Amino acid sequence: MKELSDTEVCVAEQYCHGLTDKEIADVLDKPIWTVRTHKKHIYKKLSIASTHELVLYMVSRYVGKAWDAKEVRRMGLAALLTLLMLLHITIVENKDVYRRGRRVEVEMEMRIEDAER
């Protein structure tokens, strides 16, 4: 698999933000046809066929994991995206629960100390 150029990575990141070809062209101050050409080259280099696969590639790149489009297709994109979303929700909610639990714990300790005085 060929590596993406810096410009292609920049374009790919914009797609990961959910922007359209036109919006990316506006953000990068490039003609829309240039953005579409970059997208075509990105898809060809990565052997992918959808924005979902592009997002998964960028996630795997970010976490430093090897990218294998065939393996992702075998597992199923929908299943993988669902797992990623559940993992994200679980992590975020656990942090919130911990924060809330810790705050309550600290408040109880302060009340006990006040009552002892």
Side-chain angles (χ1 to χ4, degrees), residues 17 56 59 62 95 109:
H17 289 286
L56 289 173
V59 168
Y62 179 75
K95 286 182 181 176
E109 289 173 6

Side-chain angles (χ1 to χ4, degrees), residues 1 14 21 29-31 33 42 53 61-63 67 82 100 102 104 115:
M1 176 177 57
Q14 298 304 312
D21 294 347
D29 196 29
K30 295 184 181 243
W33 59 267
I42 292 167
E53 291 177 329
R61 184 177 189 271
Y62 179 75
V63 297
W67 168 253
T82 301
R100 278 186 266 138
R102 180 68 184 142
V104 170

Side-chain angles (χ1 to χ4, degrees), residues 11-19 21 39 42-43 46-61 67-73 75-85:
V11 170
E13 287 173 348
Q14 298 304 312
Y15 280 111
C16 291
H17 289 286
L19 300 180
D21 294 347
K39 183 179 183 179
I42 292 167
Y43 280 27
L46 301 177
S47 300
I48 61 174
S50 71
T51 305
H52 291 97
E53 291 177 329
L54 178 58
V55 170
L56 289 173
Y57 166 78
M58 293 301 286
V59 168
S60 67
R61 184 177 189 271
W67 168 253
D68 184 3
K70 290 178 185 174
E71 184 67 19
V72 170
R73 287 187 189 114
M75 292 173 51
L77 287 176
L80 192 53
L81 288 172
T82 301
L83 287 173
L84 286 172
M85 184 59 78

